[in-house]
Amino acid sequence: MTVRSWSDLAAHLQGIQKRSGLSLGDIQRAAKKLAVSGSPYCELPTSTVSDALNGRRTIRNDLLRTLLEVLEVPSEERQKVRRAWQRLSTSVGQGPALAGHVAEATGRDLGVHPAIPLSDGFGRPTTGGGSSSSSSSSSEFPRYVERDFDQTLREMIKKGLQEGVFVLLLGGSSCGKTRSLFEAVRELVPGSWWLAQPTTTQEIRDLVQVPTEDTVLWLDDFHQFLGADPPLRQADFKALRKAGMIIVGTVWPVHYHSRRQLDYGDTGDIYAEDRKILEASELIPVSAQLSEGELRRARALAPTDQRVATALSMVDTGFTQVLAAAPDLVHLWEVPPTPYCQAAISSAADARRLGVRVSLSTDTLATAMAGYLTRSQRASPARTWLERALAHAASPRHGEVTALVPDGDDGSAETFGDHQAAVSYRAADYLTEYIGRARRTICPPESLWQALARDLRGAEDLRRLAGAALARMRYTYAERALSRLHDEHDDSAASAELIALLRRQDRLDEALEVADVSLAAKPADQQRRDRWDALIRLQVHVDKLRDPSKDDPHSAAQLAELLADGGRAYELRSLAERGNARAAENLAELLAERGAVVELRELAQRGEWMAAELLAGLLASLGRVSELEARANASDAAARRHLVRVRDKPREPPSADQLNQLRAVADSGREAEANELTQLLFDAGDRFGLLAEVNAGTHRAAERYLALLAADSTVDRITVRTIRAYGLDADGRPAATTTTTTP
């Protein structure tokens, strides 16, 4: 294709439209379906499309992306069109798509939190006096308190002016990251430079195709771009940096650490590319608390800025969080004016706790709120719930700070009584973190799970929702999210998880249907074929055990295990019985992980040394000293060693401080600390503590909770098998079975 002008591009797009056979009305209807909250697409009125195709309208980035999607333009041609569009945008001096100049950017535009306005004593707002630093307006922000890392940040940006740079500020919500970046960029970067603020990874990929000089790439909340579609690559950032761009952004610790943690599960190292991208950046940590030096500088500013003075006087909340009006938001949630206000905020915050990144529509919020309200509170019509909630939760508390942040700036709104509401909302960042800590071990109610599983459209959000449900053993909700990923996105990993879930519940026919559909979509995919073959083999084994299971408890247990692990233990037993030593060791390790004391004991009695070693360790962890003594007296060397250890260092329950420290680190995504936390609770025999960690979605909590139940001879075996297959309900009780075939 040859495109030298906007009219050439318009003519080319017009040709694509004619080949597609779609009318302008068809395009408008198709675009409306795509233009949902959180998507990168926009609506395309017929007049807009007509003007664009006839060269009478500038073709914006979102218009082009939506048009190419609706017209189903092949990938290769789509890339050529986008590259041509980028060339035209750059050649006529527009800079990167939707970019402005550094001098034009305000702190509000770039994501700096509006700070608390104060009163002069007569109800009139005041800025607190004094002039602001740099170019930030005194009416909008308090004076800037210089941070300890500012010199390092400024040196990196100065370096970037000559050769490009990629800097990320690492810190929690409302700790001052964005304000510090804003001050440094406005102070050091010429105002004539371009400033690009992309909202999707595709826009970043577009810049890679045609990079522009003298450009700042602003990536606040950088974690929203990790794992998105299309995926970013380390090579993208190397190319942009080589082109001389200054790339700056912020990232939360929970997202950073979760991607830095090695993860080699069944799907491989899923964060490998994200980790490479983070490693390619210059990382600057930002503490939520001011250092002594920063506090001294803040105190020096306090006499001339009342907001700084107020923030310094708050001892229970961080300085930067106070400036972002955090305390008042917390009060609004903890002591709400109406229960509907608290229910709406809790729903939005819990959704983010479950991994949902998009804002929630008003319909989704209304459905979700039901589980946070009492029966009498639910008596009024659901539409009035939102009216009563949004009147407070979506109204500015200090300046423009709200508990529920409206999404989008397209002017779209709905009417609730006398209240005009935006189409969708998310919980404020600091409130999300605060509520996440307060409700850490409370599993969200069924109404939220149902609303999210029904309404979420993006594959990434559905994947995170499914992962959150699986970690919490809420298999009913996981099934809904996985089914949508399988049906709507042909997600092979989700299909595998769904098959495993159905298999555990003895729904083999349904599992085989999923495998059939998955394989039919990509017949050459060996992994999909292997899953299908494994299900067929499993059916043969299950049929052999099915009839005896009605009267034989041992066969019933074998059948439940076969369904739970897809035959893994069955195959290991078969190999071990044929003298395979490695299989015997693997079987012993598997049984120890499951808390299967009885079978471990049987293996040890048959002379399997690994089983004896693991049994002794398991008995020591469970505090079953009398059984250890009996085995030691029967000349079991492993039991003797563990008995000495138990006697030398009697088991003591972990301290509350120790557990709280581990919980805080584990919640940031550190699997090593999560593993230590759940092991301590297992060793202490703390079933309720482990159940609380299951509700929090802590790594390995579900596995160890089941193992502790299995190792406890006082717990009914059928109950353990039911929980293993069907998980828990929203209240933490064994979920009701949906079939009668599982023993």
Side-chain angles (χ1 to χ4, degrees):
M1 56 180 292
T2 302
V3 174
R4 297 188 178 90
S5 64
W6 289 110
S7 59
D8 288 344
L9 180 60
H12 186 79
L13 291 172
Q14 191 176 64
I16 294 175
Q17 183 249 335
K18 290 179 179 178
R19 291 200 307 271
S20 73
L22 296 178
S23 67
L24 296 181
D26 294 334
I27 293 173
Q28 180 183 31
R29 287 186 289 273
K32 190 171 184 178
K33 293 179 181 179
L34 291 174
V36 297
S37 175
S39 80
Y41 304 109
C42 64
E43 294 195 19
L44 296 178
T46 55
S47 59
T48 299
V49 179
S50 177
D51 288 348
L53 297 183
N54 288 287
R56 293 191 297 268
R57 172 187 290 270
T58 300
I59 300 176
R60 303 187 319 271
N61 191 22
D62 56 347
L63 187 154
L64 180 67
R65 179 180 295 113
T66 308
L67 192 60
L68 294 176
E69 183 69 19
V70 167
L71 296 177
E72 298 183 350
V73 178
S75 176
E76 184 176 351
E77 184 177 5
R78 189 175 304 197
Q79 291 177 8
K80 292 180 179 178
V81 171
R82 294 198 64 83
R83 284 197 291 268
W85 175 85
Q86 185 68 55
R87 285 196 305 272
L88 289 171
S89 297
T90 305
S91 65
V92 298
Q94 291 187 358
L98 306 180
H101 290 287
V102 168
E104 300 167 351
T106 67
R108 190 73 60 87
D109 292 337
L110 299 179
V112 180
H113 288 296
I116 49 175
L118 301 175
S119 170
D120 63 359
F122 299 94
R124 296 174 302 198
T126 177
T127 65
S131 60
S132 63
S133 88
S134 191
S135 57
S136 55
S137 168
S138 61
S139 63
E140 187 172 25
F141 303 121
R143 296 186 67 182
Y144 179 64
V145 176
E146 292 183 13
R147 305 298 296 268
D148 291 344
F149 58 82
D150 278 347
Q151 183 177 353
T152 301
L153 173 61
R154 281 161 168 72
E155 287 175 354
M156 290 180 179
I157 291 179
K158 287 177 183 177
K159 178 182 176 183
L161 290 169
Q162 306 301 322
E163 56 190 59
V165 73
F166 177 21
V167 183
L168 288 177
L169 266 55
L170 172 67
S173 171
S174 300
C175 68
K177 306 183 300 295
T178 309
R179 176 71 186 274
S180 295
L181 277 182
F182 171 66
E183 295 290 342
V185 168
R186 287 296 299 267
E187 178 183 328
L188 299 172
V189 179
S192 59
W193 275 45
W194 295 108
L195 192 147
Q197 192 177 5
T199 57
T200 67
T201 53
Q202 184 59 60
E203 292 176 26
I204 299 175
R205 296 282 289 270
D206 292 343
L207 279 174
V208 176
Q209 295 296 326
V210 187
T212 54
E213 296 180 348
D214 299 345
T215 299
V216 174
L217 181 57
W218 187 271
L219 301 175
D220 199 26
D221 288 339
F222 180 62
H223 41 268
Q224 69 180 310
F225 298 104
L226 298 176
D229 185 31
L232 294 175
R233 301 158 299 189
Q234 182 189 37
D236 297 334
F237 291 88
K238 287 185 176 180
L240 292 172
R241 184 172 179 173
K242 186 177 181 180
M245 283 194 185
I246 294 177
I247 310 167
V248 295
T250 64
V251 62
W252 287 13
V254 63
H255 299 292
Y256 174 80
H257 290 302
S258 65
R259 284 161 175 80
R260 292 285 290 150
Q261 180 76 37
L262 293 178
D263 184 358
Y264 296 114
D266 294 339
T267 57
D269 188 3
I270 58 175
Y271 292 142
E273 196 63 30
D274 288 350
R275 186 160 48 252
K276 291 178 183 177
I277 292 171
L278 292 171
E279 289 171 351
S281 71
E282 303 283 355
L283 197 71
I284 299 178
V286 179
S287 173
Q289 303 298 325
L290 298 191
S291 69
E292 284 302 318
E294 291 167 339
L295 283 172
R296 283 195 301 271
R297 293 190 285 274
R299 293 185 189 112
L301 294 176
T304 58
D305 194 310
Q306 189 181 353
R307 286 177 292 192
V308 173
T310 299
L312 285 170
S313 70
M314 303 288 287
V315 296
D316 295 330
T317 309
F319 175 88
T320 54
Q321 287 82 5
V322 173
L323 292 178
D328 200 51
L329 296 184
V330 171
H331 296 156
L332 180 66
W333 176 71
E334 290 183 330
V335 190
T338 72
Y340 305 100
C341 175
Q342 186 180 59
I345 296 171
S346 297
S347 299
D350 277 350
R352 294 188 71 183
R353 185 158 61 101
L354 297 178
V356 176
R357 294 181 185 171
V358 297
S359 300
L360 303 186
S361 70
T362 49
D363 286 343
T364 304
L365 269 177
T367 302
M369 286 169 62
Y372 297 85
L373 300 170
T374 65
R375 179 174 296 182
S376 61
Q377 290 164 355
R378 292 195 298 267
S380 57
R383 191 154 182 90
T384 66
W385 304 352
L386 280 170
E387 178 184 348
R388 298 171 187 177
L390 296 176
H392 301 281
S395 296
R397 307 297 294 178
H398 293 292
E400 294 187 11
V401 179
T402 59
L404 290 181
V405 181
D407 182 58
D409 56 1
D410 58 0
S412 57
E414 293 182 282
T415 301
F416 293 87
D418 297 329
H419 186 72
Q420 282 288 110
V423 174
S424 59
Y425 293 88
R426 62 175 176 83
D429 289 348
Y430 182 75
L431 204 51
T432 295
E433 288 194 353
Y434 183 89
I435 294 174
R437 292 191 296 270
R439 290 178 54 81
R440 179 181 180 276
T441 59
I442 300 174
C443 184
E446 182 176 12
S447 60
L448 178 65
W449 293 101
Q450 288 180 332
L452 296 177
R454 179 195 70 190
D455 295 344
L456 291 179
R457 294 179 179 272
E460 290 301 322
D461 276 322
L462 282 171
R463 289 187 190 104
R464 286 187 288 268
L465 181 68
L470 290 170
R472 291 166 173 78
M473 298 180 69
R474 268 55 183 198
Y475 297 148
T476 298
Y477 315 130
E479 181 180 340
R480 295 171 187 169
L482 292 171
S483 294
R484 287 194 57 203
L485 285 166
H486 166 74
D487 294 338
E488 300 170 20
H489 300 278
D490 186 32
D491 187 315
S492 180
S495 300
E497 289 279 12
L498 180 58
I499 288 169
L501 197 58
L502 296 171
R503 184 197 68 215
R504 281 203 299 271
Q505 298 174 4
D506 199 4
R507 297 159 64 187
L508 291 181
D509 289 342
E510 294 175 64
L512 195 55
E513 286 180 16
V514 173
D516 285 340
V517 171
S518 180
L519 182 58
K522 292 186 179 178
D525 190 319
Q526 190 58 44
Q527 283 188 326
R528 300 184 188 214
R529 180 161 297 280
D530 289 344
R531 285 199 296 267
W532 189 90
D533 291 340
L535 272 177
I536 298 298
R537 291 195 302 272
L538 181 65
Q539 279 190 318
V540 174
H541 297 318
V542 167
D543 289 342
K544 291 179 181 178
L545 288 170
R546 176 93 51 202
D547 292 337
S549 69
K550 295 177 181 177
D551 303 315
D552 181 3
H554 181 66
S555 295
Q558 280 187 308
L559 176 57
E561 180 189 71
L562 193 67
L563 293 168
D565 68 9
R568 183 182 172 199
Y570 175 88
E571 292 172 0
L572 288 174
R573 285 193 194 92
S574 300
L575 291 171
E577 289 169 1
R578 294 199 294 270
N580 188 314
R582 184 58 181 165
E585 293 175 10
N586 290 341
L587 177 61
E589 291 173 351
L590 181 62
L591 295 172
E593 289 175 0
R594 294 178 178 175
V597 174
V598 174
E599 189 172 357
L600 262 181
R601 188 186 301 122
E602 293 173 355
L603 276 179
Q605 289 170 350
R606 294 209 303 263
E608 296 292 350
W609 72 271
M610 179 64 81
E613 185 70 40
L614 293 171
L615 174 62
L618 183 58
L619 293 174
S621 292
L622 295 168
R624 291 161 66 163
V625 178
S626 59
E627 188 169 350
L628 265 180
E629 290 175 339
R631 295 191 64 80
N633 292 334
S635 302
D636 186 314
R640 288 175 181 170
R641 287 196 305 275
H642 284 280
L643 186 60
V644 170
R645 177 173 63 84
V646 171
R647 286 174 174 169
D648 288 346
K649 189 177 181 180
R651 184 176 66 166
E652 295 181 0
S655 68
D657 285 344
Q658 182 183 14
L659 292 176
N660 286 335
Q661 288 175 8
L662 286 172
R663 289 185 183 112
V665 181
D667 288 347
S668 71
R670 297 279 290 273
E671 291 187 359
E673 283 74 9
N675 184 54
E676 183 180 353
L677 170 63
T678 55
Q679 184 65 57
L680 281 174
L681 294 171
F682 180 87
D683 290 347
D686 188 350
R687 186 190 308 171
F688 296 105
L690 275 174
L691 179 57
E693 295 306 316
V694 171
N695 289 338
T698 303
H699 174 65
R700 295 203 70 181
E703 173 187 335
R704 288 198 163 119
Y705 174 66
L706 279 170
L708 194 58
L709 292 180
D712 190 340
S713 59
T714 65
V715 178
D716 181 67
R717 300 299 91 188
I718 295 179
T719 298
V720 177
R721 294 201 293 265
T722 300
I723 294 175
R724 191 182 299 279
Y726 293 94
L728 306 170
D729 65 15
D731 296 322
R733 299 182 297 253
T737 60
T738 55
T739 68
T740 58
T741 54
T742 299

